[in-house]
Amino acid sequence: MTAARLLRTAALAAVPALAIAHAAPVVSTFGPLRNRAMPRLSGRGRRDHIALTFDDGPDPLSTPHFLRLLDERQVRATFFLLGGEAHRSPGLVREIAAAGHEIGVHGWLHRPLLLRGPRATYEDLARARDTVADITGHRPALFRPPYGVMSTAAHVAARRLGLTPVLWTCWGEDWTARATPESVHRTVTSGLDGGGTVLLHDSDRTSAPGAWRSALGALPRILDTCGQRGYEVGRLCDHDRPRRA
């Protein structure tokens, strides 16, 4: 066997191992396992606090409704923005920041990072991070991958960019056409416990048309349930801070 053929054989043999290494973090997608074994990635905080988070914005059609409701309830949240959408609506991004909400990045495009290599992954996250930083004047510190699916390349890129990946402990399944305010409230609160992170969507950019309305309709009841259970609701950056007096 020639040296060239030996190299090709070795390279082909290495492909499955590399693919496995790249996809290994996908196990964190399984919520029950992640919540037990990966508390930091799940967004676990102090037991009397719930972190409220929103994905897929900003959207000029829907996001302002959430901002008004949160303002009325005097609640601040964390918004994971898509870089492409932030670029289209910089004024809305500044409005989110001015209201005291925390901003993280959700990538530039809502595409699975598992299908991207290291360079494309890094460029996607860097572009989103830098766009948000240019608009707000503050570099975001948090990152949530599209579909909640991490890859080894995503972990490496996030570390290089100073971004901390954060997923969630419970969600509302509010992106589907069949979702209703009642179903979103029921789904969120069935998995709600102290120190958890709630995922909702303030945009239907990657969801069923109009799906954001089910999240918006459920939000007051979710906040009421948190209050009834003795939980303070706020941003991820408040998750480990003492409770406000």
Side-chain angles (χ1 to χ4, degrees):
M1 182 179 292
T2 65
R5 187 173 180 183
L6 279 171
L7 288 173
R8 284 197 298 271
T9 302
L12 288 172
V15 168
L18 291 173
I20 291 171
H22 177 67
V26 77
V27 299
S28 64
T29 306
F30 183 57
L33 172 63
R34 180 179 72 245
N35 292 345
R36 289 195 304 269
M38 308 171 192
R40 186 178 181 188
L41 183 61
S42 297
R44 281 287 177 190
R46 55 185 167 88
R47 297 294 299 174
D48 63 348
H49 189 265
I50 296 294
L52 178 63
T53 70
F54 297 93
D55 283 6
D56 292 0
D59 186 333
L61 175 65
S62 54
T63 302
H65 294 284
F66 289 86
L67 295 179
R68 281 193 291 271
L69 194 156
L70 292 170
D71 181 61
E72 291 169 1
R73 300 294 294 261
Q74 298 184 341
V75 171
R76 292 184 293 179
T78 299
F79 287 78
F80 287 94
L81 306 183
L82 290 168
E85 301 304 323
H87 178 71
R88 294 184 184 93
S89 303
L92 185 52
V93 175
R94 285 189 284 267
E95 185 179 345
I96 294 170
H101 301 295
E102 182 179 26
I103 295 179
V105 295
H106 200 34
W108 182 262
L109 297 173
H110 202 280
R111 294 177 180 172
L113 295 178
L114 198 61
L115 304 180
R116 295 184 173 197
R119 180 175 179 178
T121 297
Y122 179 86
E123 291 176 349
D124 182 272
L125 300 191
R127 190 179 183 190
R129 184 201 66 170
D130 294 346
T131 295
V132 170
D134 288 344
I135 294 171
T136 65
H138 298 283
R139 181 173 289 181
L142 301 179
F143 159 63
R144 178 173 285 162
Y147 307 103
V149 178
M150 290 293 292
S151 66
T152 297
H155 277 291
V156 172
R159 189 179 303 112
R160 289 178 60 193
L161 292 165
L163 296 169
T164 299
V166 183
L167 300 183
W168 58 85
T169 61
C170 59
W171 59 8
E173 295 185 2
D174 54 340
W175 60 88
T176 68
R178 66 177 180 276
T180 64
E182 292 73 24
S183 73
V184 173
H185 173 262
R186 182 174 60 252
T187 304
V188 167
T189 55
S190 66
L192 187 70
D193 62 351
T197 290
V198 174
L199 163 63
L200 296 172
H201 295 78
D202 63 304
S203 169
D204 61 7
R205 294 291 188 180
T206 64
S207 307
W212 61 269
R213 297 181 186 278
S214 63
L216 183 68
L219 186 53
R221 291 183 61 193
I222 291 172
L223 295 176
D224 289 343
T225 299
C226 288
Q228 292 162 7
R229 296 185 185 182
Y231 301 143
E232 180 183 9
V233 179
R235 306 166 298 183
L236 276 163
C237 64
D238 300 323
H239 227 7
D240 294 315
R241 296 177 181 175
R243 189 182 184 99
R244 295 192 300 268

